[in-house]
Structure formats: structure tokens, C-alpha cells
């Protein structure tokens, strides 16, 4: 999926990651985020990507990449192998978002997750007024050809984290480019953020 | 400078083999392409498969066919001979000039035959290490190979990790499955069932175990291809005839094709070598020196690695290759993996497969640039 404000998103993600961290980008696309993080934060990066042409692109850029599926192949990694895992605009396309989330916080100390927020006011009003599945910049596919299996709103995501024993540490506001401490579930959060971008970790028992 | 060369190795200190015996002053036949640069950081070692040899990118002296990996090795190819110093040795136990069963035992002055010691993949790698030392290479930029060649790559990564900057094991496994061993045993039994084999003593005879070797090759060849490829290439088509002959001649094209594969193979391969090398593959378990622990076996590996498998390969399937990837991942090794979709079966690494070309080129080029 193409990222509209790619560089802006990248910057916010880079701000969340300390220098020299080990990072896996799940659904790493052509590897440009990993390249960006290498340059900005000198990370030790790995990618996973389901689309072989993009895997080839990563290889040609010198990025270590596994051709794999987030739903199936995260199980192959041991606990806490990475400092950070990243899943941008992919959660809604997985078969089992809950398992994928749980795996991400298992294989890394912290996970950065972003997804298109189906609860954004523009989407919500579009659905309400047109009675058709919304198409926007962030949700650019028609309903019958979308790879997205599980749309969710920011509030849905917050609920899922709670259910899966995952703590939300920070949330980014992509409008203001700011990282906020997470204040919790509220109507405005889900209403005004086009994208949900969260820093999460596993709640230790 | 791509002509065949032969060097005598272990002239002072014998090479001790896994079986306990040792080889002194053994020969390794090899080819090289390109030049070792001043920094000595551009050497690529290519490991051949069971029936491969050192003629990786030059015409074969017997078959006159172009090198077995000419698609991948050459000027401007993924293994760019303008840029890299490429070394491809014939394994010990082989039959293209390296010390093996058909060569003379310098101690007795007689042909080895089955007196040749049983060798292992690890022995082959130890022998290759001596060649690499002899060539003045301290760190190999990349070690690569498919099938048995991939096993040699894994053995290099495990036993000489500090000498390998990067590696591309292709269509391989960390050990031989029961199915792999079974197929090799079928091949060996067909050779040994040929009366001309004569317990391995046939070198001075006019009658060599060509039929046995030919059947061994036919059986193996089936395992290199996929069902779909066989179907699309041959189907149930008849060979130069319009109806069945009601005989045991080659009625079907696939029969004729396999017979041809068998007949032509015996011109360039030695039956005893086939026994020795298949045995080495069956014995192979990269973790055997670490009580079966793959993690222990690769704990010192620091190379950048690209593992490649093919969807229709049922001999060394993707699952076996992914097992290798998983071990490397667990150890935090810089590993990449790509599964190439093709109906070419295990043999795909030897075919003109553009996606293999692209993956190898991308990996090798970017890895060398970031050296």
C-alpha cells in the first residue's frame, strides 16, 4: 500500500526509535522505511515482505529481507529478538490481527503499529451519506478488490490491545506531527485521526 | 585464465578425514575466472552439485556443452567475472581430475577403486579450504551453490565462519531426509547390481558399469523435475510413432528422454564417484559435530546470507530451506530468503530462471558495494 505522507510517517517512526536499535519491519514494502531508519538512526534492520517483486527490490538495496507472510512467518522468530517491530498499514490486511499483534510484541520489546482509521469523520460521514464503502487517500481500493480484510477504528484497536494484554505507550498525531502520551479511548481520538499510529508493548505478567 | 588447473594439496600434512583415514598429497582440479584484486576481497567460491564439476562457466571438455552455470557466471552476470575472482573446484571423490576413486593412489601406485576412503561433505570443505589457502584468499566474499553445493555452503558457514563474508545456499537442506537417502540408495544399488561394476574394479576392463550408472542417473533425474514440468514437456506423447508398440521399447517421449539422459551421463561420470558422492550427501548433517544442535553449529556465523528455494522442488523443498532460515533468524544472523515460483523442480537453479538471476544479482551487487 502506498503511504501518502511517507516521509512524515517515517519521521515520526524514527523519533520513536533510539539509535542503533534492532528493528524488523513487517510488510516492509520496497525497504524505504528501513533505509530511512538506517540513515537516521543507524538501526540494524530486517524486513519481511509478502510481495516477491518488493523482496527483489530490497535485496538489490542490500536490505536483509525474508519473503514471508505476517500471519504465518512471525512464529519463526524467537522471543525478544528485536528491540522494535514495525507494522505500517498492514494490520488491516492480515488474516488474524490479534495473533499478529501478539507475535509482534513477543518477538520485539516494543512494536510500532499504524493503520488507516475507519472511524475517521470523513470515512464515517462518507458511509453515512453515500451508503457506499468509502474510498479515500488512505483507503484507496474499491470494496471488491481491497486486500484489506479487517478494517478497524482507533477505538477498536484500543479494545483489541486491551484484550491481547498489550499496553499502549504512545500515540502519534500525524496532523500535528507530534507524539503524545496515550490518554486513552475517547470519541475525539477515533474521530479526528485519519491514521492510528501507536507504540505498544506486551504487558508483563 | 579459465583453463582447468590441477594442484596438489596437503603435501606436507595429510588431510584427516571424518572416517579416520587421511589423504596426503591429493589433487584438486579447479577453474578460476577473473582476477583476485589487491585487497583480496573479491573471491567467490562456487560449490558444484552431485554430478557437477569445475566447468562452471567454460565448455565441458567431454560434452562440449557450455558451463553448467553459464547463465549466472560470466561478464555482467550476477557472478560478474569482470569484477570477481571466481573459483570452482571439483570436489574430492569426484571424477574430473580431483583425487577420487578413479585416480591413482600415490601410496600403492594403483587406481583407488573402492579402496578410496568414504568421504563426507565436511571432508570436501576441508579440502576446499586448503585450495582457498593456496590461492591466498583469507576471506571469501561469497560462497554459493545449489543442492549438494548448498550443503557445502552450509558446512563452510558452520566450520569456517570467519572466512565467509556472504553466502547463498540454494535449494538445499541441513541434512538428508529418509526420502533423499532412499533415492540415493536406489541409485547406488542399480550401479552395484550391474555385473560390470565388479566390486568397483572395472577401470582396466573394457566393460564398465554403464547400464547401472545410466539407470542411477535416470532415477535421479526424475527427482530433479516436477510432475507439472514432466507433464507439460512430455505428457503421454509417443516417441516418433503414432501408436503403442506393445513392446518394451521407448514408446513414450519421457522414456526416450530419460534413456538419453542416462546414456549421455555415463560418458562424463564415473560409477564409483557416484557411489562416493551420494554417500557423502546421505551422511551429511551439518549439526552432527554439535550433537544435532543447529544453533550450536551456526553460533559463530557472521556472514550475510541469502537462502533461495523453488516452489516445485520436492527433493529439497521450501520447508527444508526455511528450516535453515529459521536457525539463522534465531541467531540474529543477517539472512534473506526468497522462494521462487517455478515448475522447474529441483533443477531450477541450473535453468535460465530470471528471478534467480535477479535475486542473486541484487544480493551480490549490493553486498559487495557495502563491503
Amino acid at each position: 500500500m502506498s503511504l501518502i505522507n511517507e516521509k512524515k510517517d517515517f519521521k515520526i517512526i524514527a523519533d520513536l526509535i533510539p539509535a542503533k536499535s534492532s528493528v524488523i519491519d513487517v510488510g516492509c514494502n520496497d525497504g524505504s522505511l528501513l533505509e530511512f531508519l538506517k540513515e537516521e538512526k543507524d538501526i540494524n534492520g530486517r524486513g519481511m515482505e509478502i510481495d516477491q517483486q518488493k523482496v527483489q527490490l530490497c535485496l538489490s538495496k542490500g536490505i536483509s529481507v525474508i519473503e514471508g507472510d505476517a500471519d504465518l512467518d512471525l512464529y519463526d522468530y524467537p522471543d525478544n529478538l528485536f528491540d522494535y517491530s514495525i507494522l505500517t498499514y498492514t494490520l488491516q490486511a492480515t488474516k488474524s490481527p490479534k495473533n499478529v499483534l501478539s507475535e509482534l510484541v513477543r518477538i520485539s520489546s516494543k512494536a510500532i503499529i499504524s493503520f488507516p482509521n475507519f472511524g475517521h469523520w470523513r470515512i464515517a460521514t462518507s458511509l453515512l451519506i453515500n451508503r457506499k464503502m468509502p474510498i479515500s487517500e488512505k483507503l484507496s481500493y474499491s470494496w471488491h478488490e481491497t486486500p484489506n480484510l479487517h478494517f478497524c477504528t482507533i477505538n477498536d484497536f484500543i479494545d483489541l490491545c486491551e484484550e491481547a494484554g498489550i499496553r499502549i505507550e504512545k500515540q502519534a498525531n500525524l496532523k500535528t506531527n507530534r507524539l503524545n502520551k496515550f490518554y486513552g479511548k475517547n470519541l475525539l481520538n477515533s474521530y479526528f485521526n485519519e491514521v492510528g499510529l501507536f507504540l505498544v508493548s506486551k504487558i508483563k505478567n | 585464465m579459465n583453463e582447468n588447473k590441477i594442484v596438489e594439496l596437503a603435501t606436507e600434512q595429510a588431510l584427516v578425514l571424518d572416517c579416520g583415514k587421511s589423504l596426503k598429497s591429493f589433487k584438486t582440479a579447479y577453474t578460476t575466472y577473473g582476477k583476485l584484486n589487491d585487497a583480496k576481497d573479491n573471491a567467490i567460491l562456487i560449490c558444484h552439485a552431485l554430478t557437477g564439476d569445475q566447468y562452471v562457466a567454460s565448455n565441458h571438455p567431454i560434452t562440449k556443452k557450455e558451463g553448467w552455470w553459464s547463465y549466472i557466471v560470466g561478464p555482467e552476470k550476477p557472478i560478474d567475472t569482470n569484477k570477481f575472482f571466481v573459483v570452482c573446484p571439483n570436489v574430492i571423490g569426484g571424477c574430473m581430475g580431483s583425487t577420487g576413486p578413479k585416480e591413482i593412489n600415490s601410496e600403492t601406485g594403483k587406481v583407488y577403486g573402492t579402496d578410496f576412503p568414504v568421504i563426507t561433505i565436511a571432508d570436501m570443505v576441508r579440502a576446499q579450504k586448503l585450495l582457498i589457502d593456496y590461492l591466498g584468499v583469507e576471506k571469501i566474499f561469497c560462497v554459493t551453490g545449489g543442492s549438494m553445493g548448498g550443503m557445502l555452503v552450509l558446512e563452510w558457514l558452520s566450520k569456517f565462519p570467519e572466512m565467509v563474508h556472504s553466502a547463498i545456499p540454494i535449494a538445499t537442506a541441513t541434512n538428508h531426509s529418509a526420502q533423499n537417502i532412499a533415492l540415493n540408495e536406489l541409485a547406488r544399488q542399480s550401479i552395484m547390481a550391474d555385473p560390470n561394476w565388479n566390486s568397483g574394479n572395472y577401470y582396466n576392463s573394457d566393460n564398465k558399469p554403464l547400464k547401472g550408472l545410466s539407470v542411477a542417473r535416470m532415477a535421479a533425474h526424475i527427482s530433479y523435475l516436477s510432475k507439472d514440468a514432466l507433464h507439460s514437456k512430455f505428457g503421454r506423447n509417443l516417441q516418433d510413432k503414432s501408436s503403442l508398440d506393445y513392446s518394451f521399447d521407448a514408446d513414450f517421449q519421457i522414456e526416450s528422454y530419460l534413456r538419453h539422459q542416462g546414456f549421455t551421463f555415463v560418458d562424463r561420470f564415473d560409477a564409483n564417484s557416484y557411489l562416493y558422492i551420494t554417500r557423502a550427501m546421505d551422511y551429511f548433517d551439518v549439526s552432527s559435530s554439535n550433537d544435532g544442535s543447529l544453533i550450536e553449529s551456526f553460533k559463530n556465523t557472521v556472514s550475510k546470507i541469502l537462502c533461495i528455494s523453488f516452489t516445485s522442488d520436492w527433493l529439497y523443498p521450501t520447508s527444508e530451506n526455511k528450516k535453515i532460515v529459521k536457525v539463522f533468524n534465531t541467531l540474529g544472523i543477517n539472512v534473506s530468503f526468497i522462494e521462487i515460483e517455478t515448475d522447474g523442480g529441483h533443477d531450477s537453479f541450473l535453468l535460465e530462471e530470471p528471478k534467480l538471476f535477479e535475486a542473486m544479482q541484487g544480493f551480490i551487487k549490493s553486498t559487495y558495494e557495502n563491503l
Side-chain angles (χ1 to χ4, degrees), chain A residues 45-90:
Chain A
R46 303 291 149 79
M48 179 182 283
E49 175 56 48
I50 199 165
D51 180 331
Q52 190 169 96
Q53 270 183 317
K54 290 171 180 165
V55 171
Q56 294 271 21
L57 270 173
C58 288
L59 289 176
S60 71
K61 292 174 175 178
I63 293 166
S64 289
V65 61
I66 302 286
E67 181 179 349
D69 183 335
D71 277 301
L72 305 172
D73 294 309
L74 292 173
Y75 300 101
D76 279 350
Y77 294 88
D79 294 357
N80 290 311
L81 182 63
F82 302 101
D83 298 323
Y84 286 80
S85 58
I86 302 174
L87 187 77
T88 53
Y89 295 89
T90 303

Side-chain angles (χ1 to χ4, degrees), chain A residues 88-140:
Chain A
T88 53
Y89 295 89
T90 303
L91 188 67
Q92 76 285 350
T94 62
K95 284 198 189 76
S96 173
K98 188 178 171 185
N99 287 348
V100 170
L101 268 183
S102 300
E103 281 301 293
L104 291 174
V105 294
R106 179 186 66 78
I107 67 171
S108 59
S109 308
K110 291 176 195 294
I112 296 166
I113 317 285
S114 75
F115 55 90
N117 172 25
F118 210 72
H120 185 250
W121 67 268
R122 215 180 277 130
I123 304 281
T125 29
S126 162
L127 184 62
L128 192 70
I129 293 166
N130 302 324
R131 304 289 159 147
K132 284 160 79 75
M133 284 302 278
I135 295 175
S136 71
E137 272 185 325
K138 302 278 181 202
L139 300 169
S140 55

Side-chain angles (χ1 to χ4, degrees), chain B residues 132-152:
Chain B
I132 294 299
D133 291 345
Y134 163 80
L135 293 170
V137 176
E138 280 168 19
K139 189 156 190 167
I140 308 169
F141 165 64
C142 186
V143 184
T144 183
S147 196
M148 183 183 89
M151 297 176 186
L152 290 154

Side-chain angles (χ1 to χ4, degrees), chain B residues 212-248:
Chain B
L213 180 59
S214 168
V215 173
R217 174 63 168 179
M218 287 168 75
H221 202 80
I222 300 168
S223 72
Y224 302 151
L225 306 173
S226 74
K227 187 179 175 184
D228 287 346
L230 280 177
H231 178 74
S232 63
K233 204 168 170 186
F234 305 106
R236 290 179 52 82
N237 298 340
L238 301 181
Q239 180 69 28
D240 301 327
K241 56 185 75 166
S242 52
S243 59
L244 298 175
D245 262 355
Y246 293 92
S247 77
F248 295 106

Side-chain angles (χ1 to χ4, degrees), chain A residues 52 59 62 64-65 67 73, chain B residues 304 322 334 336-337 339 359 366:
Chain A
Q52 190 169 96
L59 289 176
S64 289
V65 61
E67 181 179 349
D73 294 309
Chain B
K304 195 171 174 192
K322 270 193 149 174
N334 247 310
S336 293
F337 168 70
E339 182 192 27
S366 63

